[in-house]
Amino acid sequence: MIQLDLSNIRSFVPEDWLTSRKDRLEQARVMLEEGNGPGGDFTGWVHLPRDYDKEEFARIQKAAKKIQSDSEALVVIGIGGSYLGARAVVELIQSPNYNLKKKDTPDIYFAGNGLSTDALLETIELVKDRDFSVNVISKSGTTTEPAVAFRIFKNLLEEKYGKEEARKRIYATTDAHKGALKGLADSEGYEEFVVPDAVGGRFSVLTAVGLLPIAVAGIDLDELMGGAAEAMEALAVPGLENPAWQYAAARHALYTAGKSTEILVGYEPSFRFFAEWWKQLYGESEGKDGKGLFPASVEFTADLHSMGQYIQEGQRLMFESVVRFQESKGSYTIPHDPDNVDGLNFLSGKPLTFVAEQALRGTLLAHVDGGVPNILIQALRRDARTVGQLIYFFEYSCGLSGYLLEVNPFNQPGVEAYKKNMYALLGKPGYEEHRAALEARL
Ligand code: PA5
């Protein structure tokens, strides 16, 4: 299971940082378990690793096999919570270079997560002459970015295969009852998967939203869900030994002590999108009512040569949460060089992991000495089981942490402001007055 080392926050927070939060953590636990706190209608993810729809789960695996057999590429269309989880897991377990690797599973391209014309054209170019399928994902079914991308890729599929065959290559993941995508999927007869009502976008990676693309990439869904279920059981146990209680309390204590930024640190390039997923999870859950830690991320050691300076000596705003994988998938030993011109023979015969470990230890102490508290989060390895545990650990901690902060961790009212302006400026019917007011200001 996930383990925490909190020894390097001690000098920055009062001695009772954990014990003083015990009662509030217990209240938060009950609210999550019983779904009766603020936003309780959106706590369907809490028991998801146990209560997930087994029939749909089997259908996801079947659809993944079909895509693997008839497609060289899968275009996954979605944004925010309908995008980041799948990409995070595929990159963390497989590789950020997944598409470049020799493999017997399809390439995966993510589209509809922005409005860049060039990015869209590039993806079209990469898939148009190959056999491909599309998984369009939108809980609301009305989000502009994926809706526009879907229209384009749907046309491409229909031109390439004809309407009938195109239908068989489109998989729609959306609300069970409502939304434009649901209507389209019903009328066209696409295979449909559901984003459960009680699960918000940023908590949806273990639903069909994440699971279909993850399965297409050849990742074992039973292992992923098994890891999440292990974490669910372990983290439901109340007490100050609970790592989710510790993480939530540590973040809250550091926030109360004046820190405004949490930097999630990874030492694996494959961790980059997991950090993006984490930023959405914590940023959307806690950044409201004028409150919340700003979630940032860095990749070490690369960013030690850029952001490292600021972290060591800039404004003392931040603390670090370092995710360390205890095992690498492979090993590499630093070779001996008889000439030793580079002076590196003191490392000859040592595994590269030894060098990485000393970089982590040295950086941790340097940053703590520089006034940056450190939470060390230890996970076993980059496999499906561990990643399932890690996902659930961060989700559950996020729920606890939001309740400690006294916000509703499960809404995102701020996301609507830009959408309203964009709809108005685009000329969407019903937004005429708002459009005139905005145009007068621009
Ligand atoms: O967390 C959220 O609610 C958002 O990031 C949504 O996931 C994002 O806006 C996409 O929404 P939808 O799935 O409705 O297209």
Side-chain angles (χ1 to χ4, degrees):
M1 257 301 289
I2 308 301
Q3 289 174 341
L4 259 58
D5 178 349
L6 292 147
S7 53
N8 288 301
I9 69 161
R10 283 204 191 109
S11 55
F12 301 92
V13 289
E15 213 175 313
D16 65 349
W17 67 270
L18 183 56
T19 50
S20 64
R21 289 175 171 80
K22 186 173 179 214
D23 292 346
R24 290 165 67 198
L25 282 162
E26 174 57 12
Q27 285 160 15
R29 181 190 74 80
V30 172
M31 288 194 279
L32 288 182
E33 293 295 329
E34 295 181 3
N36 59 8
D41 289 348
F42 289 94
T43 48
W45 55 272
V46 174
H47 300 126
L48 190 71
R50 182 192 67 203
D51 296 344
Y52 64 92
D53 180 340
K54 312 289 183 303
E55 181 274 326
E56 184 181 64
F57 191 78
R59 229 162 27 83
I60 291 170
Q61 285 172 311
K62 201 167 155 211
K65 285 220 165 64
K66 176 172 180 297
I67 296 167
Q68 286 168 344
S69 70
D70 70 10
S71 303
E72 295 164 90
L74 173 69
V75 179
V76 180
I77 298 176
I79 195 167
S82 292
Y83 154 62
L84 289 164
R87 184 156 184 186
V89 173
V90 171
E91 292 206 3
L92 182 53
I93 296 177
Q94 298 291 26
S95 165
N97 296 317
Y98 168 78
N99 284 352
L100 297 175
K101 285 170 77 170
K102 271 212 173 89
K103 58 192 180 300
D104 49 16
T105 50
D107 287 351
I108 296 191
Y109 296 99
F110 293 94
N113 52 62
L115 289 167
S116 159
T117 302
D118 292 346
L120 177 80
L121 289 172
E122 188 174 273
T123 308
I124 292 172
E125 202 50 42
L126 287 164
V127 300
K128 74 177 183 358
D129 296 326
R130 306 165 73 193
D131 281 319
F132 73 98
S133 296
V134 167
N135 179 200
V136 54
I137 309 168
S138 177
K139 184 174 184 184
S140 64
T142 55
T143 309
T144 308
E145 293 90 334
V148 168
F150 181 54
R151 188 178 267 216
I152 292 162
F153 282 98
K154 177 175 172 281
N155 281 348
L156 201 62
L157 275 178
E158 288 176 354
E159 277 164 21
K160 188 175 166 79
Y161 296 103
K163 227 171 163 13
E164 216 26 62
E165 172 64 15
R167 267 188 205 133
K168 297 184 194 146
R169 290 179 170 271
I170 295 174
Y171 301 82
T173 306
T174 188
D175 190 273
H177 313 286
K178 56 179 192 306
L181 179 56
K182 170 69 185 159
L184 186 62
D186 283 351
S187 68
E188 296 279 347
Y190 303 148
E191 171 141 29
E192 292 180 39
F193 298 102
V194 168
V195 193
D197 288 346
V199 181
R202 60 189 173 278
F203 289 87
S204 70
V205 56
L206 298 176
T207 71
V209 170
L211 294 181
L212 180 58
I214 290 168
V216 172
I219 293 166
D220 187 334
L221 295 191
D222 291 309
E223 281 291 297
L224 188 75
M225 288 302 260
E230 280 169 8
M232 182 189 78
E233 278 179 27
L235 301 179
V237 178
L240 299 181
E241 300 299 309
N242 182 318
W245 283 39
Q246 293 177 352
Y247 180 52
R251 300 177 78 250
H252 190 252
L254 290 162
Y255 178 66
T256 310
K259 297 298 180 187
S260 61
T261 304
E262 176 178 13
I263 306 178
L264 192 74
V265 181
Y267 275 79
E268 296 289 339
S270 59
F271 190 73
R272 180 176 156 216
F273 263 87
F274 196 89
E276 295 300 320
W277 169 83
W278 172 90
K279 284 194 269 192
Q280 187 203 4
L281 184 65
Y282 281 81
E284 275 194 354
S285 299
E286 296 194 325
K288 54 196 69 161
D289 305 340
K291 299 193 228 181
L293 284 160
F294 182 81
S297 65
V298 289
E299 182 200 318
F300 287 172
T301 61
D303 287 337
L304 286 171
H305 300 261
S306 60
M307 295 301 288
Q309 170 60 35
Y310 192 103
I311 295 170
Q312 189 71 47
E313 293 183 344
Q315 285 195 70
R316 303 298 69 197
L317 303 169
M318 75 287 278
F319 67 91
E320 290 178 326
S321 296
V322 176
V323 176
R324 172 178 179 264
F325 291 96
Q326 287 156 322
E327 293 175 8
S328 291
K329 289 191 179 178
S331 64
Y332 200 89
T333 304
I334 296 170
H336 184 75
D337 181 345
D339 297 331
N340 196 27
V341 181
D342 56 13
L344 277 182
N345 272 355
F346 73 103
L347 291 176
S348 299
K350 298 252 173 21
L352 188 56
T353 49
F354 168 78
V355 183
E357 183 61 18
Q358 307 326 310
L360 185 149
R361 296 169 77 208
T363 304
L364 192 156
L365 292 181
H367 289 182
V368 170
D369 290 346
V372 179
N374 187 287
I375 298 173
L376 184 59
I377 300 167
Q378 311 241 41
L380 190 56
R381 60 175 89 85
R382 292 189 300 120
D383 62 14
R385 187 155 287 268
T386 305
V387 172
Q389 293 173 356
L390 209 48
I391 287 169
Y392 193 86
F393 165 76
F394 279 123
E395 289 183 348
Y396 197 76
S397 306
C398 183
L400 294 175
S401 184
Y403 283 147
L404 284 184
L405 193 63
E406 296 180 347
V407 297
N408 173 352
F410 307 116
N411 65 4
Q412 54 284 329
V415 178
E416 294 310 310
Y418 105 90
K419 286 191 192 168
K420 196 177 154 203
N421 284 359
M422 183 174 72
Y423 289 152
L425 293 170
L426 285 170
K428 189 169 178 172
Y431 289 81
E432 293 75 8
E433 259 182 53
H434 190 53
R435 180 184 191 182
L438 290 179
E439 291 291 4
R441 285 172 55 201
L442 288 167

